Amino acid sequence: MTIRPSTLFGKTLATIALVSMGFLLFTLSVMAKFLLVPVGERSAADLAAFMVFSAEAWSELPDEQQAPYARELEARSGLRIRPPQDNLPARGLVLPYFYFLENALEKQTGKPVTLCMETDRDGTPRYFARFDVGTKVVSVGVPRTHMSVQPPLALLLVFSVGILVTMATAITLVRRLTSPLERLSAATHRLGGGEWPAPLPETGPEELVHLTRSFNRMMVQVEELLANRTTLLAGISHDLRTPLSRMQVALEMLPAESDPELMEGLSADITHMNTLIRRFLEVARGLEDDRWVDVDMDALAASVAEAFKRSGAEIRIKPGKSCNLETSELALRRILENLLENAVRYGEGTPVDIEWHCSAGFIAIHILDRGPGIPENERETVFRPFYRLESSRSRATGGSGLGLAIARQLAQANGWEVTLLTRHGGGTRAVLKLPMATVRRGDKERGKAETARSDHAL
């Protein structure tokens, strides 16, 4: 299985690491090919020639002069010459220099030569080469100190240190570039979820500073746009109530002999328009609500359910762990009422359950019905304003199509989350998830003030 990084940090770091490793490997290969190998072969050839020359000189001396010559040679050069010994172990190391020396000795003597190892009394390993010199067989030993150069170890150290330095540098540089982008991504995600994060610090490279500054300004502009939209919506809805009230009064003052069916239809239309206006005003008041109070879930659920019970609906409360939270009670109540209204309307007369669970700083409130359910591909679509699963848009089969839209907008405005799921056994499970502690609007106002001061300073 191929593991590929998905984040900008991972992709950039992997790219830098792979390029650096490739360049290091190429550099070390060139050094080994054109520098270390030729030097090693030349050194091995010189040592092999000296070993063979010393052995030939030793073999040509009279017997009484061979021992003094061997002692003098070992004292001056470290080479030890003696008659061959059997049962010496083969060399254990596999350094390239041993191959170079064996090949060089083979070229000097004309026969294959294999190095054997023997340990001196002081623990120093010595490597012996056995070969023919004239009519004699001679064994020439070289101490390990003559082969102390370890090119593979040097290459490994250079490669390892190079990789560590490259990775540390790459991590520092990539983190410096991606940290502002990660903060920007997290703030964008929170903003898309209805939260209003604090202004981001405008630090880093100039391009990222400009990007962060633009984002901070955009947050202020979006919040102002939403506030203006809400104000406009509330104003239009409020202004429409006056002519509707006059129409209602005029309708009631019509003569009694007027067409009763027409009168009933006009009255129903006016009532429906008033309902729509009330819904719009609910959105406006919910988004602007700034009253934070301690909310007891047991009391709130009982209060919301009681209104539906009076209209004949069967609401069953299944209380979980006692939860108290500080939040906007008005927004929370409206969301629960809209979700309950939707569950009662489409629950086909079956009981609707309310339950909640508190854990890990969050509370999840569930509204469960046994209606026909919502197709998976429309669970997000139903949150759009005026969207209804019934294409007829008849008031006899459903509401105005604003209930779920209002619930979603109120939830996003407070940093909460509303989702619709399939209930096991049939029906729909509406889930409202909100943290036990939510950011207050005062914190958002302070963030706006800080951004304004930053813009002014620039």
Side-chain angles (χ1 to χ4, degrees), residues 150-384:
Q150 302 181 33
L153 180 59
L155 294 177
L156 179 61
L157 288 175
V158 171
F159 180 78
S160 301
V161 174
I163 287 297
L164 290 176
V165 172
T166 301
M167 292 297 293
T169 305
I171 290 174
T172 302
L173 292 177
V174 174
R175 178 59 66 185
R176 184 180 299 172
L177 292 174
T178 58
S179 291
L181 295 178
E182 290 176 357
R183 291 195 299 266
L184 184 62
S185 176
T188 304
H189 180 74
R190 293 177 59 191
L191 183 63
E195 300 182 41
W196 295 100
L200 300 177
E202 299 175 2
T203 58
E206 184 177 355
E207 294 82 0
L208 294 179
V209 169
H210 288 315
L211 179 61
T212 305
R213 186 177 303 155
S214 299
F215 177 80
N216 288 336
R217 289 175 178 172
M218 183 199 69
M219 276 201 307
V220 175
Q221 292 169 357
V222 168
E223 188 169 12
E224 291 176 350
L225 178 63
L226 289 178
N228 294 336
R229 185 206 65 174
T230 303
T231 302
L232 178 63
L233 184 64
I236 294 176
S237 300
H238 183 271
D239 292 342
L240 284 176
R241 281 192 162 182
T242 301
L244 284 176
S245 299
R246 289 198 297 265
M247 292 172 62
Q248 183 68 46
V249 172
L251 185 63
E252 293 175 355
M253 295 179 62
L254 289 176
E257 61 271 12
S258 300
D259 187 350
E261 185 176 350
L262 177 61
M263 297 276 290
E264 183 178 353
L266 291 174
S267 180
D269 287 337
I270 292 175
T271 302
H272 181 58
M273 291 178 68
N274 275 317
T275 302
L276 291 177
I277 292 174
R278 179 176 57 84
R279 294 285 193 178
F280 284 131
L281 291 175
E282 284 181 0
V283 177
R285 286 195 296 266
L287 294 177
E288 293 178 348
D289 179 44
D290 197 28
R291 291 175 297 172
W292 289 68
V293 296
D294 291 325
V295 178
D296 181 2
M297 272 306 304
D298 295 309
L300 179 63
S303 174
V304 172
E306 184 62 29
F308 288 90
K309 290 180 180 179
R310 287 196 296 268
S311 62
E314 183 178 355
I315 309 296
R316 300 183 302 193
I317 299 178
K318 299 180 180 180
K321 181 180 178 181
S322 180
C323 298
N324 292 325
L325 64 158
E326 186 180 6
T327 187
S328 171
E329 181 181 10
L330 181 60
L332 180 57
R333 177 183 293 273
R334 284 182 179 141
I335 293 175
L336 293 180
E337 288 176 349
N338 289 356
L339 294 179
L340 267 175
E341 182 180 353
N342 194 73
V344 170
R345 177 179 295 116
Y346 297 103
E348 300 179 343
T350 58
V352 175
D353 298 323
I354 305 177
E355 57 186 51
W356 57 90
H357 310 281
C358 305
S359 62
F362 283 88
I363 174 173
I365 307 172
H366 300 255
I367 310 293
L368 305 98
D369 65 65
R370 288 295 183 187
I374 302 175
E376 184 176 358
N377 60 344
E378 295 194 81
R379 289 178 192 163
E380 284 297 317
T381 312
V382 294
F383 286 107
R384 296 177 183 173

Side-chain angles (χ1 to χ4, degrees), residues 98-132:
F98 288 100
Y99 294 105
F100 298 157
L101 183 58
E102 289 176 344
N103 291 334
L105 288 171
E106 182 178 351
K107 291 179 181 179
Q108 292 286 336
T109 61
K111 294 181 180 180
V113 177
T114 301
L115 295 177
C116 297
M117 187 185 73
E118 183 181 67
T119 304
D120 291 343
R121 293 180 180 179
D122 60 356
T124 303
R126 188 180 294 271
Y127 299 92
F128 285 90
R130 179 176 177 175
F131 48 86
D132 297 335

Side-chain angles (χ1 to χ4, degrees), residues 414-436:
N414 289 276
W416 306 337
E417 181 182 355
V418 177
T419 54
L420 299 176
L421 305 173
T422 299
R423 184 182 183 184
H424 181 70
T428 301
R429 176 189 295 268
V431 181
L432 171 62
K433 185 177 180 181
L434 61 157
M436 303 293 287

